[in-house]
Amino acid sequence: MSEAETRPLLTYAFARDKGLVVLSQEDGAVALGVRAGADPIAILEARRAIGRPLRFQHLDATRFERALSEHYARAAIDGGETEAAMDGAGDLMSLIDEIPQTADLLDGDDDAPVVRLINGLIYEAVKRRASDIHIEPHEDNLSVRYRIDGVLQEVLTPSRRLAAPLTSRVKVMARLDIAEKRVPQDGRISLSIGGRSIDVRVSTLPSRYGERVTMRLLDTRNALLGLDELGMDEDTLARFRSVLAQPNGITLVTGPTGSGKTTTLYSALSVLNNGQRNVMTLEDPIEYGLEGISQTQMHHKVGLTFAATLRAILRHDPDVVMVGEIRDLETAKVAFEFASTGRPVLSTVHTNSAAGAIQRLRDMGIEPYVLAATMRAVLAQRLVRKLCDHCKEPHEASGDEKQMFGLPADQHYDFYRPRGCMSCAQTGYEGRLGVYELLLVDQEVRQLIRDDVSDDELEARAFRDNDTLFRNARRYVVSGQTSVEEVLRVCRKDED
């Protein structure tokens, strides 16, 4: 399809200001939505610019804003055009230089510079494997940062005058209310870059100097991994598979935001979804579509909460249920009641360790005897950055480092540290590795839970013969895949 065929018939600025929007194009005629109070002269100008027969449809202000967002959101990113534009532009700074020096960029007749900049930001983020884009207005400038391998990196600090047009363009693409700037909004953008389908979750938030925007980039190709691809060591993988093979009980995955919990849950569901089970999920939001699995999006404004929806889906005869997160006592109680009927439940809890998840559920109000009877396992996980293979440099492990990781003091070990090169954008790291600790609820641990022992006692027994997060990360340090500093940044050091 040519550029002329995909270009909107009216510019976004003209449509917004004059109250006119193209609704559809059929049989050579154009249906034009007209907002109440639209200028007749503007209608004549639109007729001249479009050059086709027009059919008019009167819209109130709300319907007009919705139609405006939907029409201009269709001009999402096409991978080939964006890539060609970026190759020709050279870098993001050159895209900024193309933008005219006007007070309100969207008031001009040509929205192309702003559109190209947004496209370039998203394209560059995908190319650099960023998980999030942060656009934050400050007093004197606008900060654009990418979260790459879990760490924020600033990529642009243009003039603050770009804040309003960039925010408005993103809101149009995400079908958000561009006139509402006082309350947070959430939306989605579906786009294609280089043949890859990318889903972008958009969230806006009012701040002191204007609205800030966060875009989370979701690439299905990076999320739907098999259990063997998660980076578990052989022992943890074998034990986790044995947990999934059990016919009932609750299995929890815990860790901070961005630690890969959703990817692990989806990998576990792919094992359980053998075509003979009714697998259902409750998610907030649904991050990736899973084939053969019924996924339900929470909608708290209309009462579609985890607890309420979990009660509803129990009447749909599920064999396996995944609850996106256990946040409160009501959700926890329903999940445990379902698991006690003889079917498996998977979910997440935000805690720092596997043993901490047990304590969190106790604090919510779940009785110890219910926990002991229903819990099957808790998998805690982190992601550590992988050293860049092109520039990492060796150094001899010190005595303190050997002691820290429980290595023989009389043996020589080469550890590695980051340096930075063009390949890794001078960070010294490229990619991430999974670190895990798996707490299995066996007979002895079950009795400790009934006895309501402390986290430390539970942890000491559960990991007497198995790896904690810190000990599991040691394999990456010894093999030269990550640095000591990175492990200490992400994992709590084991106490003696």
Side-chain angles (χ1 to χ4, degrees):
M1 187 175 289
S2 69
E3 183 180 354
E5 291 173 310
T6 58
R7 186 186 301 121
L9 297 175
L10 301 175
T11 67
Y12 167 73
F14 180 86
R16 179 198 61 189
D17 295 341
K18 304 303 182 183
L20 305 172
V21 62
V22 174
L23 300 177
S24 63
Q25 304 178 51
E26 294 180 5
D27 301 326
V30 174
L32 191 68
V34 181
R35 185 178 57 197
D39 186 355
I41 297 177
I43 296 175
L44 292 175
E45 178 62 21
R47 184 195 298 273
R48 184 196 63 78
I50 293 173
R52 304 183 202 171
L54 298 181
R55 291 184 288 104
F56 299 102
Q57 182 176 337
H58 294 284
L59 304 175
D60 58 28
T62 302
R63 291 175 62 202
F64 175 80
E65 290 292 344
R66 186 182 303 117
L68 185 72
S69 294
E70 288 179 356
H71 177 68
Y72 288 93
R74 290 179 201 135
I77 296 176
D78 174 80
E81 292 181 4
T82 305
E83 190 164 352
M86 286 298 297
D87 289 343
D91 55 31
L92 293 172
M93 287 307 300
S94 64
L95 293 177
I96 290 179
D97 292 340
E98 292 179 10
I99 297 177
Q101 303 291 321
T102 58
D104 185 352
L105 300 178
L106 287 181
D107 282 342
D109 291 333
D110 185 10
D111 302 321
V114 176
V115 173
R116 278 199 298 270
L117 179 56
I118 287 292
N119 289 2
L121 284 172
I122 297 177
Y123 171 77
E124 186 70 12
V126 171
K127 190 169 73 171
R128 293 176 61 175
R129 301 174 296 99
S131 61
D132 301 85
I133 303 173
H134 293 253
I135 302 175
E136 308 164 58
H138 300 295
E139 184 175 7
D140 300 318
N141 58 32
L142 181 68
S143 172
V144 179
R145 297 189 290 176
Y146 292 160
R147 186 175 294 279
I148 301 173
D149 295 332
V151 177
L152 282 174
Q153 300 177 19
E154 193 159 70
V155 292
L156 287 175
T157 53
S159 169
R160 186 184 162 199
R161 69 186 183 83
L162 285 175
L166 285 180
T167 301
S168 294
R169 176 61 192 174
V170 172
K171 290 171 78 171
V172 165
M173 295 172 69
R175 295 177 169 85
L176 301 180
D177 185 350
I178 57 175
E180 180 55 79
K181 301 179 181 179
R182 300 165 299 174
V183 298
Q185 297 186 65
D186 296 299
R188 300 181 83 113
I189 305 170
S190 295
L191 48 89
S192 175
I193 295 181
R196 296 164 59 183
S197 294
I198 306 292
D199 205 22
V200 184
R201 283 199 341 236
V202 177
S203 180
T204 67
L205 181 71
S207 67
R208 181 179 180 184
Y209 297 107
E211 287 181 288
R212 62 168 292 160
V213 177
T214 300
M215 293 183 279
R216 169 152 290 188
L217 309 178
L218 304 172
D219 186 349
T220 306
R221 191 171 64 180
N222 294 337
L224 304 183
L225 302 175
L227 280 181
D228 297 336
E229 302 174 88
L230 295 179
M232 292 184 189
D233 61 280
E234 291 184 5
D235 176 64
T236 302
L237 179 60
R239 293 188 300 133
F240 191 55
R241 284 190 180 277
S242 71
V243 170
L244 296 178
Q246 296 190 36
N248 55 41
I250 288 186
T251 300
L252 297 178
V253 179
T254 184
T257 301
S259 60
K261 300 187 297 296
T262 300
T263 299
T264 299
L265 283 176
Y266 283 178
S267 300
L269 287 176
S270 69
V271 173
L272 297 172
N273 184 31
N274 58 7
Q276 300 175 345
R277 288 184 170 127
N278 180 19
V279 182
M280 306 184 73
T281 74
L282 313 181
E283 302 176 60
D284 186 23
I286 296 174
E287 294 197 6
Y288 302 99
L290 301 175
E291 188 174 352
I293 292 177
S294 174
Q295 298 172 269
T296 302
Q297 166 85 46
M298 298 301 93
H299 198 327
H300 298 280
K301 289 183 179 179
V302 297
L304 203 61
T305 62
F306 279 121
T309 313
L310 186 52
R311 286 195 177 91
I313 71 169
L314 297 186
R315 294 188 287 272
H316 288 258
D317 188 30
D319 296 302
V320 180
V321 170
M322 190 270 274
V323 182
E325 183 183 350
I326 294 180
R327 299 175 179 173
D328 51 49
L329 177 59
E330 187 180 10
T331 305
K333 280 185 173 179
V334 179
F336 275 85
E337 287 171 7
F338 175 72
S340 66
T341 64
R343 284 166 286 190
V345 175
L346 304 177
S347 190
T348 68
V349 177
H350 282 289
T351 57
N352 292 324
S353 65
I358 305 291
Q359 185 60 49
R360 174 64 57 83
L361 290 168
R362 287 174 181 155
D363 293 342
M364 283 184 185
I366 301 297
E367 296 292 340
Y369 72 89
V370 176
L371 281 171
T374 314
M375 286 295 304
R376 291 296 171 262
V378 183
L379 179 74
Q381 66 180 74
R382 299 289 189 278
L383 295 174
V384 295
R385 290 182 293 171
K386 183 178 182 294
L387 285 166
C388 174
D389 291 329
H390 297 92
C391 67
K392 65 181 181 182
E393 55 186 21
H395 68 93
E396 183 178 351
S398 67
D400 289 342
E401 289 173 334
K402 292 178 188 177
Q403 183 181 8
M404 184 189 307
F405 289 100
L407 300 172
D410 57 350
Q411 292 188 23
H412 175 86
Y413 289 92
D414 275 338
F415 288 175
Y416 286 79
R417 61 168 65 98
R419 188 177 67 190
C421 65
M422 293 294 291
S423 177
C424 60
Q426 304 301 328
T427 63
Y429 296 94
E430 193 169 26
R432 289 193 286 181
L433 304 161
V435 179
Y436 303 90
E437 67 178 24
L438 180 61
L439 186 158
L440 287 182
V441 182
D442 56 20
Q443 283 298 119
E444 193 173 344
V445 171
R446 190 170 290 116
Q447 187 57 51
L448 291 174
I449 294 174
R450 287 196 191 98
D451 295 341
D452 206 13
V453 301
S454 68
D455 282 4
D456 291 339
E457 291 179 78
L458 189 62
E459 199 165 83
R461 163 59 191 86
F463 299 107
R464 184 176 58 200
D465 303 316
N466 299 298
D467 281 350
T468 59
L469 284 168
F470 190 81
R471 295 202 296 263
N472 193 249
R474 176 178 62 180
R475 59 197 168 114
Y476 293 135
V477 175
V478 173
S479 64
Q481 295 184 77
T482 195
S483 64
V484 174
E485 295 78 13
E486 179 66 8
V487 170
L488 291 175
R489 182 185 73 86
V490 173
C491 303
R492 183 189 64 182
K493 183 180 179 298
D494 287 346
E495 303 295 336
D496 295 328

